[in-house]
Amino acid sequence: MATNKNARLRYEALDKCLSNFSRRYYIEDLQKACCDYLTKELSIDTTVSKRQVYADMKEMETSPSMQAPIKAYQDGQRKYYRYSKEGFSIVDLTDEELLGLEATVNMLASFRGMPQFDWMTDIIRKLKKKYKVSENKRNILSFDSNVDLRGIDRFKELFNFIINEQPIKITYEPFGKSAFDAEIHPYYLKQYNNRWFILGYNPEYKDISVFALDRIKKVESLNVDFIQDTLIEDPFDYFFDVIGTTIPNHGDIEKVILKFSPKRYQYVLAKPIHHTQKTDDNTLTATIEVIPNKELEAIILGFGKDVEVLEPEHLRNEIIEIMKESCKKYGLLKNDCKSPQ
């Protein structure tokens, strides 16, 4: 490869595009990819002409050190470019990188028992073939998985849309409501309580929207410019103040104090409810600082009789009302929900 840094960076950018068989890259896309990559790596705005991109691809094809099998594919009046040989790359790995890749392959192999990650089998095969890495035949990791989970068949498709920065239109049908269409610029997939959710920018609301995969009825790509993520960026920070995936509009962070039975208190010590949790062994209480949402209510209700909400008052009252409704269903409203004598 060329020793000139700018040329090397352009080749790397083109290599990433040309080896991506999940997206079609036209000359304008290759030009933009080179500009974006150089700007990112050099920390200065950089422009690359189409003429330069054509020259770079020619050099990649003819250079003895690269010999890239680049092919132009006709698409109507336009052409898109990619390698004619799937799995080809001009980038070589160091011995240290190969060791890291071998460890990664072993980790990925552990996902193959999970239906949503069956597609990794093909990735593992390609990595092993291309880089001559080995694989630990014994499965040493296990993950919770619901083989009957609806919508999980869309995982790979949505994953690719995120990776390729492809805007999409989804048809979504909430529980008990009519289906609707939404334009989404997908950024992130998140699992919570054994359900998968996709998060992305929604131009209609100019904010992040969250959709459960099991309620998505249809997905199609959109021919619009992708809106880059400036809202989520770091998922851990984005969800820092909530449990689960629901961030209530105009919600405020509150101090939630929960008192537990002695037996359940030990469970909460071993498995904190939230990363802000602070405990008091004398009072058997756990204090967290979160924006209250439905997921928090579900966790509290899941502890049953072993927990009492001390603060805030409105959350305590909400749990009381939910429990009263539960009592009604079992005909136990009399005597303050106590069993009839």
Side-chain angles (χ1 to χ4, degrees):
M1 292 179 63
T3 56
N4 177 275
K5 184 176 181 179
N6 281 23
R8 177 177 58 81
L9 292 175
R10 293 196 305 271
Y11 297 153
E12 290 178 4
L14 290 171
D15 182 67
K16 289 182 179 181
C17 298
L18 298 171
S19 60
N20 185 352
F21 278 64
S22 298
R23 175 178 171 182
R24 294 182 176 183
Y25 284 89
Y26 301 92
I27 187 63
E28 296 83 5
D29 300 319
L30 296 175
Q31 181 186 16
K32 184 178 185 300
C34 288
C35 292
D36 292 346
Y37 192 65
L38 263 69
T39 298
K40 177 183 177 182
E41 294 296 319
L42 302 176
S43 298
I44 56 173
D45 289 336
T46 307
T47 59
V48 178
S49 66
K50 292 181 182 178
R51 181 178 179 180
Q52 182 65 66
V53 173
Y54 284 122
D56 287 340
M57 287 196 289
K58 188 64 175 179
E59 177 64 21
M60 292 169 66
E61 289 180 293
T62 58
S63 170
S65 62
M66 290 185 278
Q67 297 182 326
I70 302 172
K71 184 175 179 179
Y73 294 85
Q74 198 71 39
D75 183 19
Q77 300 298 317
R78 308 173 67 196
K79 292 181 180 180
Y80 64 91
Y81 300 84
R82 67 169 54 141
Y83 292 140
S84 59
K85 180 181 178 182
E86 190 171 0
F88 178 87
S89 175
I90 63 172
V91 179
D92 294 325
L93 298 181
T94 65
D95 290 341
E96 183 178 354
E97 289 171 332
L98 282 172
L99 287 174
L101 181 59
E102 183 175 352
T104 301
V105 166
N106 288 330
M107 182 194 71
L108 292 177
S110 301
F111 286 81
R112 288 183 296 186
M114 303 173 68
Q116 62 265 43
F117 293 109
D118 282 345
W119 53 278
M120 283 190 174
T121 300
D122 190 47
I123 294 179
I124 293 170
R125 178 184 59 78
K126 291 177 181 178
L127 289 173
K128 290 169 61 180
K129 180 179 179 180
K130 181 175 181 179
Y131 295 110
K132 306 295 190 299
V133 299
S134 59
E135 175 192 339
N136 191 330
K137 301 299 182 182
R138 185 166 58 92
N139 194 345
I140 58 176
L141 293 175
S142 178
F143 300 88
D144 285 339
S145 178
N146 182 352
V147 296
D148 299 318
L149 186 63
R150 292 181 179 179
I152 203 63
D153 55 310
R154 297 192 182 279
F155 187 95
K156 179 182 178 181
E157 179 185 26
L158 295 173
F159 180 87
N160 285 333
F161 284 140
I162 293 173
I163 292 297
N164 293 306
E165 299 186 341
Q166 174 61 58
I168 58 177
K169 182 177 76 173
I170 67 169
T171 299
Y172 192 76
E173 185 176 8
F175 289 114
K177 298 181 180 179
S178 300
F180 63 88
D181 293 337
E183 176 183 331
I184 299 297
H185 297 252
Y187 299 148
Y188 186 63
L189 283 162
K190 179 179 174 65
Q191 185 185 43
Y192 177 73
N193 198 23
N194 215 14
R195 291 178 79 196
W196 282 95
F197 301 83
I198 186 168
L199 292 79
Y201 183 77
N202 187 329
E204 180 180 356
Y205 299 107
K206 294 181 172 56
D207 203 351
I208 298 296
S209 289
V210 181
F211 299 94
L213 266 60
D214 54 277
R215 305 310 301 168
I216 297 177
K217 302 303 179 182
K218 183 179 179 182
V219 181
E220 59 183 286
S221 61
L222 292 177
N223 187 24
V224 296
D225 291 336
F226 184 77
I227 299 175
Q228 295 292 332
D229 175 20
T230 59
L231 297 174
I232 296 180
E233 295 185 340
D234 186 335
F236 180 78
D237 288 342
Y238 185 76
F239 292 105
F240 188 88
D241 299 318
V242 297
I243 293 173
T245 61
T246 305
I247 302 180
N249 292 329
H250 313 298
D252 295 321
I253 300 173
E254 300 185 61
K255 182 167 67 175
V256 177
I257 303 178
L258 306 173
K259 184 175 181 178
F260 293 90
S261 64
K263 184 177 181 179
R264 277 302 183 99
Y265 180 71
Q266 298 302 317
Y267 176 87
V268 174
L269 288 178
K271 185 181 178 182
I273 298 172
H274 190 254
H275 54 79
T276 59
Q277 177 174 299
K278 296 179 181 179
T279 55
D280 187 328
D281 295 343
N282 295 322
T283 60
L284 302 181
T285 58
T287 300
I288 59 177
E289 295 186 9
V290 296
I291 301 174
N293 59 8
K294 294 298 182 182
E295 288 93 329
L296 173 61
E297 292 179 6
I299 287 178
I300 293 172
L301 292 169
F303 284 111
K305 62 182 178 60
D306 292 319
V307 68
E308 177 187 359
V309 179
L310 301 183
E311 296 182 21
E313 187 69 21
H314 74 86
L315 180 59
R316 178 184 176 90
N317 292 335
E318 181 67 26
I319 297 299
I320 290 174
E321 291 303 315
I322 293 174
M323 295 178 71
K324 284 182 178 179
E325 289 297 318
S326 296
C327 286
K328 288 181 181 179
K329 288 181 172 60
Y330 290 95
L332 301 176
L333 187 58
K334 295 181 180 180
N335 302 319
D336 295 326
C337 289
K338 295 180 181 178
S339 298
Q341 301 298 320

